[in-house]
Amino acid sequence: MKRLIAVMAVLAFFFSVGISSAEEKSKVSWRVIGDASVSIHNKYADEITGEMYYDNPISTQSATVGVEKENTGLYIKAENYAPLRHEPKETDVYFGFYTEACGMEFDVGFAHYWMREKGEIDYNAIYGEVNFPEVIWGIVPFLKAEYRFATQKEWVEDEEGNEYSNSLDGFAYYGGFKREFKVTEKVSLNVEVGAGGNTGIYGGQAENLAYAREKVEVSVELIENLNLKIAGMTQQNLGRKDGISSRTDKPFVGASIVWNF
């Protein structure tokens, strides 16, 4: 009888702890988060497809606002591309959701790519990203993927002069490994290596392995919530000579000021 009473007392204790813990978690409220940044790049390649977007200096500006609770959140992001020479302007808008599960981080959403030049074709996209659990020495595998839909058809002519529509839709992906090094309390170093490909996009042929990429980024906390980021990237074309990454065998460098709130 005494043992039964003792067991019931222990169970009651853990049950009460569980209830209080659940109540504490339920008290955690959603909070507003966001960031804003201004960047300058010597050139710019697409993060997923590996295509050379801008072959000359360009400035980018971005702003993100969202709500978050216990590593789960919703956000809206706008990113503007302002070339410093005569190249097409672009503004992108993202609506996304992120969370953590099974030791992995997920980010999925919908994007609209607005090409701000007359006659240019806009795109909609469904995108996703996952950071897998650390494998060894702080190395984290990751994978990004995106399917893009052209908002209008591209009409081309064959050798006999017959017109037909050419699909510009396509699926692209990029994956690899990344590692963050904490140099000092205010300085961190991020290293990333990866490769990407596609199943045919922008009317081109599929390139299962289109490019390889190496990237290094240094982040310095200037003051609280304000960081300076300096990045360097190299890329190698692994696909066709006239493939999507054919003009990207050159160094890319950029610098950003990022404010978080």
Side-chain angles (χ1 to χ4, degrees):
M1 187 67 174
K2 291 182 179 179
R3 289 184 180 180
L4 179 60
I5 293 173
V7 171
M8 291 179 66
V10 171
L11 291 175
F13 170 76
F14 283 109
F15 182 69
S16 64
V17 169
I19 290 177
S20 62
S21 176
E23 288 177 347
E24 287 179 4
K25 287 185 178 180
S26 65
K27 292 178 182 178
V28 177
S29 59
W30 291 89
R31 63 189 183 96
V32 177
I33 60 168
D35 62 66
S37 69
V38 177
S39 308
I40 186 75
H41 309 267
N42 71 324
K43 304 175 187 297
Y44 195 88
D46 187 281
E47 183 179 350
I48 301 293
T49 67
E51 179 189 20
M52 177 70 81
Y53 252 30
Y54 295 98
D55 203 5
N56 292 293
I58 176 176
S59 172
T60 63
Q61 309 86 39
S62 72
T64 305
V65 64
V67 291
E68 181 184 73
K69 179 180 179 181
E70 296 180 338
N71 299 321
T72 295
L74 299 166
Y75 64 88
I76 299 175
K77 178 181 178 180
E79 190 165 21
N80 184 60
Y81 298 82
L84 304 183
R85 296 188 183 178
H86 298 291
E87 291 183 284
K89 299 176 182 178
E90 180 179 341
T91 299
D92 302 338
V93 181
Y94 302 84
F95 303 89
F97 165 80
Y98 62 88
T99 190
E100 293 183 3
C102 302
M104 296 181 286
E105 300 174 347
F106 298 90
D107 184 354
V108 296
F110 171 83
H112 178 70
Y113 303 129
W114 175 31
M115 311 300 170
R116 294 162 46 199
E117 303 291 332
K118 187 176 181 179
E120 293 287 333
I121 298 176
D122 298 340
Y123 286 84
N124 295 319
I126 297 173
Y127 64 88
E129 177 181 354
V130 56
N131 293 320
F132 297 96
E134 174 188 327
V135 288
I136 189 174
W137 301 323
I139 298 173
V140 175
F142 68 90
L143 178 64
K144 302 178 181 181
E146 188 169 316
Y147 195 94
R148 295 183 181 175
F149 306 85
T151 58
Q152 62 189 51
K153 295 180 179 180
E154 180 187 53
W155 293 92
V156 295
E157 289 187 358
D158 59 19
E159 296 179 354
E160 300 178 354
N162 299 314
E163 274 196 347
Y164 64 95
S165 61
N166 185 33
S167 175
L168 302 176
D169 302 351
F171 180 72
Y173 45 86
Y174 168 59
F177 301 90
K178 57 185 177 181
R179 170 77 154 87
E180 180 180 3
F181 299 88
K182 197 70 175 177
V183 182
T184 68
E185 185 179 348
K186 295 183 178 294
V187 180
S188 61
L189 175 69
N190 292 278
V191 179
E192 177 183 300
V193 293
N198 62 79
T199 59
I201 192 171
Y202 303 145
Q205 299 178 24
E207 295 176 283
N208 295 325
L209 194 57
Y211 65 92
R213 177 183 293 167
E214 305 81 32
K215 185 177 179 181
V216 176
E217 181 183 79
V218 178
S219 179
V220 181
E221 183 181 350
L222 302 177
I223 58 175
E224 187 177 2
N225 298 328
L226 186 67
N227 294 329
L228 169 65
K229 296 185 178 182
I230 301 174
M233 186 183 85
T234 55
Q235 195 166 280
Q236 300 81 43
N237 180 35
L238 302 179
R240 306 188 318 273
K241 290 183 178 180
D242 60 345
I244 198 167
S245 304
S246 59
R247 299 186 298 114
T248 61
D249 296 331
K250 53 191 70 177
F252 297 79
V253 294
S256 308
I257 293 290
V258 183
W259 172 55
N260 298 284
F261 60 88

